[in-house]
Amino acid sequence: MRLLEQRGELLRVTTPVSRELEITEIADRMVKQGGPALLFENVTGSDYPVAIGLLGTKERVALALGVDDLDGLAEKVRNLIDLSGGGSKLGLLSNVTKLRDAMNLPPRRVRSAPAQEVVWRGDEVDLSKIPVLKCWPLDGGPFVTLPLVITKDPETGERNMGMYRVQVMSRNTTGMHWQRHKTGTKHLEKARKLGQKLEVAVAIGGDPALIYAATAPLPPVPGLDEFALAGYLRGQRYPVARGITVDLDVPANAEFVLEGYVDPSEDWVMEGPFGDHTGFYTLPDLYPHFHVTAVTMRRNPVYPATIVGRPPMEDAYLIEASERLFLPAAQLIIPEIVDYHMPPAGVAHNLVFVSIKKSYPGQAYKVANGLFGLGQMMFAKVIVVLDEDVKVTDFDAVWREVTRKAVPGRDTLTTRGPIDVLDHSSRGWGYGGKLIIDATTKRPEEVGSAASSRPDQAGDTVAPQAFTPRAAHDLPTFDGVLAQRQTPDGYWLVALHKTRAGQARELAAVFAAHPAAQGIRHLLICDDQTDVNDLQDVWWTILNNIDAERDVWVQGELLAWDGAQKLPEEGFVREWPPKIVMDQGVVDRVERLWNVYGLPESLR
């Protein structure tokens, strides 16, 4: 915070603000415009200030992790895993520095910790005194949004730290949002089988390297945990202290630590709704109940928070840090990978762009299927594979390549696998369809239909060299279409007010047969809240609202994507969640007080 303030990247707000929605509305405007971090010094109902947006740009994330830019993270890991030398004495000596870095990984126990300068025990515990934010209007309550949740395997003693949202339920209890794939769930299940409670600590704040590490998709390597990753990034062993009421190591430099337990014999509690990182609300569901036995803190703590929701948000830059950090490991396993990127519109797991050095037919599918098997990449929904000269961070350039080099049907492939449990559109909870798009330059064996071994002599480029999109008034009408437009790249974007089963498929059949479809390669059907003039909004909606196996199909010469809401009459049995929208009264209040807060007019 001190460093950001020195650089003019942190603003103090002394005007009283509410932890319920008001801070969210201000912070949301800031992060979407690349504005500074904020320190709210006067939060109504709490003695503690709130810091938000500390990692709100990729430059600030790099600064927090001690590198000049995020590519520096990849270089650090590449240097560590490349223990080369060929066996000579000189070669072996060249690895000493790298091995010394690796030895910094285990944390070190300290006797005195700033995080334990103040201690609340028993009846002293009152979570309402901590300025936990209610972020969005339909949220089920206040949520800790940067929690470092620490548990220990009851059998092996191996530590885990993860970032799982924490809903405050009462003065001394919270929900514990452990999803089925998470390590915390596995630890709780082991505790249940052993007939014992699971000790838990929730650290809030401290070293940004550890906050980042809690979000990183670490591989299951013995001895490698989040403390070790933070220690490696810092170049020194991470300081930890033993908990006051739990036998767990907690970050010695945290701002707050909640200590307690989850009893696996207890009934789970209803948690949520929560305005989630997908930009939609996660609906209420049953999750474990965390009992807080003690709260420890610094003498003058600052409560750090983030907000998640409609992208781009602060979490996009943490995701980008993980991309850079784990690129060398991905390349070690799949060496033809040149680069990869998870754009904000895909909210991490919904969309992956990967460029490769291609040397044989079918290699794009080999790489995509390999990625589906790498850790949390198993949740990826759409993977687009590109030639090595395509810049994967150029969103528009990637989709141009798709229309140029990917024939619907010939160069698209659907499969199935695990899906993030927060995905509301999949065919089942945590299970659904996936799509691979091969947008690489085709080899002769890849051109033509699967029914014939004879190549199609039409060549590789699929989009017309000169396609002129039609004006909206020249496009066909259809029941429920509120807005539509075509792009020069061959995309047809439609906002549909859906009122009946099968409406999107009927629309696709009509539009694909219309003369206006000539030169179009993708028909993107969105819900009625989508701005067809905003390509990021279109893809964000599409990717959230499809199960690729059910909702993406070849219609005539184009690929149709049904990103409209699914209805019970179509066999969709789960409740469809709303998009996150801020309460208009809060928006008006922030607009009215913007100058009173002392915030820049240019970021209003």
Side-chain angles (χ1 to χ4, degrees), residues 24-44:
T24 294
E25 175 62 18
I26 299 168
D28 191 28
R29 297 187 187 200
M30 283 294 175
V31 75
K32 283 185 167 47
Q33 298 187 69
L38 299 168
L39 179 63
F40 294 97
E41 298 183 315
N42 190 348
V43 181
T44 304

Side-chain angles (χ1 to χ4, degrees), residues 424-446:
H424 61 264
S425 62
S426 58
R427 60 188 286 170
W429 190 59
Y431 176 63
K434 299 169 179 287
L435 175 67
I436 300 169
I437 300 177
D438 176 5
T440 62
T441 299
K442 301 301 176 294
R443 293 187 165 250
E445 299 88 346
E446 297 173 308

Side-chain angles (χ1 to χ4, degrees), residues 321-524:
S322 287
E323 285 178 14
R324 299 303 93 197
L325 188 65
F326 292 101
L327 175 61
Q331 291 170 325
L332 193 67
I333 299 167
I334 310 174
E336 56 265 63
I337 290 178
V338 174
D339 202 357
Y340 74 103
H341 179 52
M342 294 177 285
V347 294
H349 52 269
N350 284 344
L351 181 63
V352 182
F353 297 153
V354 56
S355 58
I356 66 169
K357 292 181 180 178
K358 182 175 177 178
S359 57
Y360 54 83
Q363 196 168 5
Y365 299 109
K366 178 261 189 187
V367 170
N369 283 303
L371 285 172
F372 283 138
L374 288 183
Q376 292 191 37
M377 275 288 186
M378 69 178 176
F379 299 128
K381 186 184 288 190
V382 177
I383 294 182
V384 180
V385 188
L386 305 140
D387 290 325
E388 61 183 298
D389 61 342
V390 180
K391 188 176 181 180
V392 293
T393 54
D394 188 334
F395 192 79
D396 294 338
V398 168
W399 290 117
R400 282 195 298 272
E401 283 291 287
V402 169
T403 55
R404 287 183 59 237
K405 293 183 177 178
V407 176
R410 188 193 75 181
D411 303 322
T412 54
L413 181 67
T414 54
T415 183
R416 300 178 198 143
I419 295 291
D420 194 300
V421 299
L422 299 180
D423 190 292
H424 61 264
S425 62
S426 58
R427 60 188 286 170
W429 190 59
Y431 176 63
K434 299 169 179 287
L435 175 67
I436 300 169
I437 300 177
D438 176 5
T440 62
T441 299
K442 301 301 176 294
R443 293 187 165 250
E445 299 88 346
E446 297 173 308
V447 180
S449 70
S452 172
S453 61
R454 188 174 65 186
D456 182 350
Q457 299 302 316
D460 182 49
T461 300
V462 299
Q465 294 299 316
F467 169 67
T468 302
R470 297 198 181 200
H473 58 76
D474 291 330
L475 298 176
T477 58
F478 188 84
D479 177 37
V481 172
L482 303 181
Q484 58 179 315
R485 75 179 179 99
Q486 294 182 340
T487 73
D489 302 331
Y491 292 88
W492 193 341
L493 320 176
V494 180
L496 175 68
H497 176 59
K498 188 172 179 180
T499 56
R500 65 178 188 279
Q503 191 173 354
R505 284 193 174 260
E506 293 172 21
L507 183 156
V510 170
F511 280 20
H514 194 276
Q518 186 172 0
I520 293 293
R521 284 294 172 262
H522 293 264
L523 176 64
L524 307 180

Side-chain angles (χ1 to χ4, degrees), residues 130-153:
I130 302 173
V132 183
L133 306 184
K134 180 179 178 181
C135 299
W136 299 106
L138 301 184
D139 282 358
F143 282 83
V144 181
T145 52
L146 280 178
L148 314 182
V149 181
I150 302 164
T151 57
K152 186 166 60 176
D153 188 305

